[in-house]
Structures are given as C-alpha cells and as structure tokens.
C-alpha cells in the first residue's frame, strides 16, 4: 500500500471507531531536543490529524503516543528512556494504546535492540526523514504483534515535501530550509543520525512561507543545522543570503529569524544582507563551542578564537544593536585547565547576550568518543558552574544597557508563571515581560519601555501604541 492509501485506510478505520464509540481517537506527541525536532513533531501531528486523530488533552486520554527523541547528549536519552518506561503502566491499563518512538535516537546503531530489550511495550519506531511513512507504520502496528520498524537506511535521503503540519502557533512558524549536516564536528552525533546535508529548493520554501503569511503568520524561523551553507548542491545557484532576501520580499512578513549559523560559513555578504533587509531580525546564534584553539581544532570547527572574534567585530560594526548568542561545551576530551581558561577569556571578549552551556557528553560513533583523556564529571561540572557564573554577569550587564530604552516587542502570549503578565520577544530575541492589556493578541507588535532588567528577562510597560493589526 502506498503512503496515501495507508492514510486513507486509517481515516476509514478512525471514522468507524468514532461511529462505534462516539468519540474520536486521540493523539499525543512528546518532543525532546532542538527546534528541528519540534518542527518534525508538528509534521507528525499534522500527519496524525490527516488520519483522523485529534489532539489529546493529556497522554492518559491518548490512543496513540509518539515520543520524538533527541540523542545529542546522554542526559536527553536518560530522560527519554524514563518517559518510555513510565508509559508501560498506561499501556497495561489500556492495551489498545499504540506507542511509537521516533527521531534521532532511533537512527543510532543498537538503539533498536535496546528498545526491544527494555521496552517491549513500544509498538513502532520511526527514524529521521521517515515521517511520510507514518500511515503504513501505524497500520502495520495495529495488525502486527511485533515491533514495526521504519528507519532511514542511508545518509543521502530525500526531503519530505508537501506533508501536512499542525503548527503550535498561528502567528509564527518554523520552516526547515535544509536537513542533515556535513560538518562532522567530532563531538556531535547529528550528522550520524540526520544524514548528509540537503537543501530544499527556494521555490518550495518561498511557496510554504507565502502560504503561511496568507494564513496570518508574521514571523518565520528558518531552520537548518548549518543555515549558512544553504544552497550547496542545488541546481539553482543560490546561497543563504539570496534566500533571506527572497523571504524578506514576501508580502506581510514581519520578522525573519534563522538558526543555526556556523562561524566558518558566515560570509560578509550575509552580514550585509542582515543589515539591509528590513524584516531579518538582528540576532545571530553563532556557536563558538570552545575558546582554546587546540580544542577548536580537535573539535574540527574550522576557525580559531581570533577568527571568531574578528567575525564578531565585523557583525557588530555592520549591524547596529545586534545580539549574538552562542553554544559552549565544557570538558571536551583533553581539555586542560589552560584550555578552559581560554573559553573564559573568549566569553569576556565576545560579550555574548546569552550562552547555552553544555557539559561534553560522550556519544559513541563520534570521533571524540574514542579520544583518550575523557574529563572527570566533577571537573566538567565545576567548569560549567564557573562559565555560567561569568556569562550570567555579562548577560546582566548587557541587559542593563537596555534600561529606559523602548523596544519593539512581538507578543507571544501570557507569561508561563502569571496570567496577568504578557511575554514577548524583541527583534534581538530577548524575552520581555509586561502587564497584560486585554486587547493584545499573540503576534501583535508593541513598543515596551524597559524599567527593570534581569539576566534572562527584561521587564517594562507598553507605551501608547498602534498594534499594526
Ligand atoms: N556533548 C555536549 N554538547 C553537545 N552539543 C552537540 N553535541 C554535544 C555533545 N556530544 C551541543 C553543541 C551544539 C548544541 C546544539 O549541542 O554546543 O551547538
Ligand atoms: Fe553537530 Fe557541528 Fe553539524 Fe552543528 S555543525 S549539527 S554541532 S556536526
């Protein structure tokens, strides 16, 4: 049966279930990991809805649960296995429940055996770039008594085009512009589980964003493991800057974001494009990963500290008020105290708005996993604390410069902790909290005067405004 036929068949089955039970079958998707995974989950949800499932209010009511996994660090895997384990009891109570495990973790060698061994209550697994097969997988899972497996066989995969999405928000959307990664940073499992780099065609991307804006989307985030290498291998000669300009010209788009940028591939042309294009936001996520040249080389990053800092200078000279955020790993194999001091030095020199800091996690299959001199966990934890303390001071100082300024904020919704407070983001991606005004809706743009700043948040009051609606 082809994939379309499988979906049609599930629609029939689910309609029949609804007719007999007076209730539609429900789904839940639990997501771990990065934005690309969140985005994949929206596609999984879209596929499930096209089969006739509706979103469950809690996993206890779901008839099908899919866990979309991450394997970038061991801690993610531990959490995921904990979650899978906790579903065993639910499955015992409700044997008709289908449980699927999808995404990066399932592309790792041996993971399938682990699922078979410790999680026999799982009904199916689905690798990355396999979402188009979900209909057949679910049909098989309903009829077979054994684990149904659909994993990407090779590194050079097709891109799924035209699949439905069930997006979380009406006013903003993630749009994948490329898949996979060719960089092979020595610590990273991503190229091993997401395959080689493939760019979507500009036609497909522009058409998707145009349709989104017609439905009211105002902000798009262009996603890729290394967006700066967008276009390589496409028939049309195009690079990421060209694509940004095309998106910038789509009617009604208000904000364009993108991630992640690799410092080695970030060109002067791109800096200029961000400078001159009205809707591209002044925020660059530019992972440095480490400060020591020796470690950067062992990581296969393709730049040294000085080159990274020169790039930052160029960016800041050309793009006023730009914010730059980063990722840093501490405790890469062989990282000496002197190497770590270089990371601290880079932190002071770079003055990042925010740094996402990670303890190196040994991923089998990567080059770094076989390196001798793995760093003891206690040392890694101490370095992480030191780095975070330093970065927090810097983030706070940078935010203090924003006191008493008025910033353009796009409303996201109620704050997580307080229904009387609204949360929104500046163009530079800073989180701003301000008292709720009932006429404001997610996606509205307001001016907020900042009267208090913290390390991670800005606080203020809306100034008399025109929402632009
Ligand atoms: N250990 C710790 N952090 C890692 N990252 C990627 N691989 C690892 C690993 N093995 C971090 C990098 C990357 C971010 C998404 O996750 O900093 O930029
Ligand atoms: Fe991993 Fe490096 Fe590719 Fe990022 S660029 S996904 S860190 S290999």
């Amino acid at each position: 049966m082809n994939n379309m036929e499988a979906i049609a068949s599930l629609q029939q089955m689910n309609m029949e279930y609804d007719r007999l039970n007076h209730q539609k079958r429900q789904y839940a998707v639990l997501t771990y990991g990065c934005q690309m995974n969140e985005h994949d989950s929206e596609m999984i949800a879209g596929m499930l809805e096209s089969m006739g499932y509706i979103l469950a209010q809690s996993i206890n009511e779901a008839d099908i649960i899919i866990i979309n996994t991450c394997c970038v660090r061991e801690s993610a895997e531990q959490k995921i296995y904990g979650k899978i384990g906790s579903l065993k009891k639910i499955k015992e109570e409700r044997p008709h429940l289908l449980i699927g495990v999808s995404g990066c973790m399932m592309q790792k060698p041996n993971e399938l055996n682990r699922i078979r061994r410790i999680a026999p209550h799982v009904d199916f697994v689905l690798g990355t770039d396999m979402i188009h097969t979900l209909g057949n997988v679910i049909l098989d899972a309903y009829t077979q008594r054994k684990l149904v497996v659909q994993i990407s066989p090779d590194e050079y995969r097709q891109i799924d085009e035209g699949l439905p999405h069930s997006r979380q928000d009406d006013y903003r959307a993630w749009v994948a512009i490329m898949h996979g990664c060719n960089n092979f940073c020595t610590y990273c499992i991503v190229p091993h589980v997401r395959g080689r780099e493939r760019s979507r065609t500009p036609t497909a991307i522009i058409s998707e964003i145009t349709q989104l804006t017609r439905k009211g989307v105002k902000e798009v985030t262009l996603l890729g493991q290394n967006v700066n290498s967008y276009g390589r291998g496409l028939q049309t000669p195009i690079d990421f800057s060209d694509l940004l300009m095309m998106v910038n010209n789509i009617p009604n788009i208000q904000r364009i974001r993108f991630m992640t940028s690799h410092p080695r591939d970030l060109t002067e042309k791109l800096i200029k494009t961000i400078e001159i294009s009205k809707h591209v936001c002044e925020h660059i996520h530019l992972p440095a990963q480490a400060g020591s040249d020796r470690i950067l080389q062992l990581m296969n990053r393709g730049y040294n500290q000085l080159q990274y800092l020169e790039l930052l200078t160029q960016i800041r000279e050309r793009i006023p008020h730009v914010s730059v955020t980063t990722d840093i790993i501490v405790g890469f194999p062989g990282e000496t105290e002197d190497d770590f001091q270089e990371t601290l030095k880079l932190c002071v020199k770079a003055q990042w708005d925010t740094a996402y800091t990670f303890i190196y996690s040994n991923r089998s299959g990567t080059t770094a996993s076989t390196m001798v001199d793995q760093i003891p966990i206690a040392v890694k934890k101490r370095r992480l604390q030191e780095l975070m303390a330093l970065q927090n001071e810097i983030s706070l100082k940078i935010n203090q410069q924003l006191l008493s300024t008025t910033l353009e904020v796009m409303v996201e919704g109620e704050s997580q902790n307080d229904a009387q407070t609204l949360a929104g983001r500046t163009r530079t991606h800073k989180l701003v909290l301000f008292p709720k005004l009932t006429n404001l809706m997610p996606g509205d743009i307001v001016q907020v005067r900042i009267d208090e700043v913290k390390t991670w948040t800005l606080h203020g009051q809306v100034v008399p405004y025109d929402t632009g609606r």
Side-chain angles (χ1 to χ4, degrees):
M1 197 182 292
N2 73 31
N3 293 315
M4 294 309 291
E5 289 164 354
I7 290 174
S9 176
L10 278 161
Q11 276 169 358
Q12 283 294 327
M13 276 173 62
N14 284 339
M15 258 161 51
E16 188 60 15
Y17 181 92
D18 186 10
R19 199 176 63 76
L20 294 174
N21 298 283
H22 306 293
Q23 145 180 15
K24 289 191 188 310
R25 275 198 172 130
Q26 304 183 35
Y27 76 88
V29 182
L30 312 179
T31 312
Y32 293 81
C34 64
Q35 282 83 357
M36 193 62 98
N37 255 18
E38 295 276 355
H39 183 54
D40 282 349
S41 288
E42 291 182 341
M43 215 148 44
I44 292 173
M47 289 287 279
L48 291 169
E49 287 176 14
S50 75
M51 297 164 196
Y53 295 93
I54 59 166
L55 180 65
Q57 291 310 307
S58 88
I59 59 168
N60 295 318
E61 289 159 43
D63 300 283
I64 179 166
I65 300 174
I66 298 184
I67 302 180
N68 195 16
T69 62
C70 168
C71 59
V72 83
R73 280 171 289 275
E74 198 185 346
S75 51
E77 283 185 5
Q78 282 166 353
K79 261 195 230 157
I80 292 164
Y81 272 103
K83 180 50 95 181
I84 295 174
S86 75
L87 297 182
K88 192 170 183 182
K89 214 167 146 260
I90 306 185
K91 175 96 179 180
E92 276 164 10
E93 285 161 11
R94 301 175 34 236
H96 72 276
L97 169 68
L98 278 191
I99 298 176
V101 184
S102 68
C104 293
M105 203 171 85
M106 296 326 303
Q107 288 292 142
K108 282 173 60 197
N110 300 329
E111 220 55 39
L112 202 53
N113 286 340
R114 191 163 164 198
I115 290 278
R116 283 205 168 96
R117 207 174 55 244
I118 64 174
H121 54 294
V122 169
D123 299 286
F124 64 89
V125 303
L126 188 75
T128 53
D129 301 303
M130 279 289 146
I131 297 172
H132 60 282
T133 67
L134 189 58
N136 268 307
V137 168
I138 294 176
L139 266 188
D140 288 350
Y142 276 128
T143 50
Q144 292 182 18
R145 295 215 135 251
K146 59 180 202 301
L147 183 69
V148 179
V149 177
Q150 191 64 263
I151 284 174
S152 281
D154 55 31
E155 306 275 86
Y156 299 89
R157 308 165 188 176
Q158 297 285 316
I159 294 177
D160 288 340
E161 284 293 352
L163 298 186
H165 292 77
S166 172
R167 288 187 151 99
Q168 277 173 16
D169 299 306
D170 296 331
Y171 71 96
R172 65 174 173 184
W174 285 306
V175 176
I177 61 167
M178 56 198 301
H179 297 264
C181 182
N182 285 355
N183 285 313
F184 288 97
C185 301
T186 54
Y187 50 81
C188 187
I189 191 83
V190 170
H192 304 267
V193 294
R194 283 202 174 260
R196 293 293 67 72
E197 189 178 289
R198 291 139 288 147
S199 292
R200 289 178 70 199
T201 64
T203 317
I205 297 168
I206 299 301
S207 140
E208 182 178 348
I209 299 176
T210 306
Q211 283 176 34
L212 287 167
T213 54
R214 287 196 186 128
K215 286 194 217 144
V217 164
K218 294 176 175 169
E219 176 182 298
V220 289
T221 303
L222 309 180
L223 292 179
Q225 255 72 42
N226 177 14
V227 288
N228 304 138
S229 62
Y230 172 78
R232 276 183 209 155
L234 282 180
Q235 277 175 349
T236 336
I238 183 168
D239 64 17
F240 184 53
S241 306
D242 302 330
L243 181 74
L244 272 184
M245 280 318 265
M246 289 166 81
V247 179
N248 188 60
N249 292 333
I250 294 176
N252 299 326
I253 195 90
Q254 304 250 6
R255 287 181 171 191
I256 304 159
R257 302 187 182 281
F258 55 92
M259 71 188 307
T260 292
S261 292
H262 195 303
R264 191 188 44 210
D265 299 319
L266 200 148
T267 58
E268 215 183 314
K269 180 177 172 190
L270 177 61
I271 298 175
K272 183 146 196 262
T273 305
I274 301 170
E275 180 193 355
I276 61 174
S277 51
K278 182 168 173 222
H279 301 296
V280 178
C281 290
E282 298 77 21
H283 169 227
I284 304 182
H285 185 60
L286 194 65
Q289 309 295 4
S292 147
D293 291 349
R294 198 180 68 84
I295 297 292
L296 284 169
Q297 196 171 16
L298 286 172
M299 286 177 161
N300 189 29
R301 290 292 291 177
Y303 53 85
N304 59 29
Q305 183 180 139
L306 186 64
Q307 285 166 327
Y308 183 94
L309 286 168
E310 280 172 358
L311 182 61
L312 269 187
T313 306
Q314 259 193 60
I315 291 170
R316 288 184 172 137
E317 274 171 3
R318 297 295 292 268
I319 311 169
H321 309 298
V322 67
S323 75
V324 182
T325 54
T326 203
D327 292 344
I328 297 280
I329 298 173
V330 298
F332 184 84
E335 185 187 70
T336 62
E337 212 46 48
D338 281 354
D339 289 323
F340 175 60
Q341 289 302 320
E342 286 299 311
T343 294
L344 295 180
K345 270 190 217 159
L346 175 60
C347 189
V348 172
K349 288 184 187 161
Q351 294 286 302
W352 293 297
D353 290 74
T354 306
Y356 300 91
T357 49
F358 307 105
I359 283 181
Y360 169 76
S361 171
N362 194 319
R363 307 284 62 208
S364 76
T366 63
T367 307
S369 71
T370 57
M371 290 180 182
V372 288
D373 202 6
Q374 301 280 330
I375 307 296
I377 185 67
V379 175
K380 291 189 205 172
K381 281 189 177 164
R382 200 245 312 137
R383 288 181 185 165
L384 183 78
Q385 290 307 324
E386 230 177 286
L387 176 62
M388 280 167 63
L390 175 63
Q391 178 58 43
N392 286 349
E393 263 176 45
I394 293 169
S395 297
L396 183 60
K397 262 196 208 135
I398 293 175
N399 283 349
Q400 277 163 348
Q401 292 163 13
L402 298 172
L403 261 177
S404 306
T405 61
T406 300
L407 301 173
E408 181 198 293
V409 174
M410 185 179 276
V411 178
E412 291 191 344
E414 283 171 7
S415 137
Q416 278 178 350
N417 306 324
D418 176 6
Q420 293 315 307
T421 299
L422 286 181
R425 297 251 169 205
T426 63
R427 287 175 63 96
T428 53
H429 206 244
K430 289 184 188 273
L431 187 61
V432 182
L433 300 173
F434 50 97
K436 185 171 181 175
L437 298 176
T438 45
N439 58 340
L440 287 181
M441 311 223 305
D444 283 345
I445 289 184
V446 289
Q447 301 291 325
V448 177
R449 191 172 162 80
I450 305 303
D451 53 26
E452 189 192 355
V453 301
K454 297 186 181 163
T455 309
W456 296 92
T457 49
L458 309 176
H459 301 252
Q461 310 289 327
V462 173
V463 297
Y465 63 92
D466 165 9
T467 61
R469 232 189 279 147

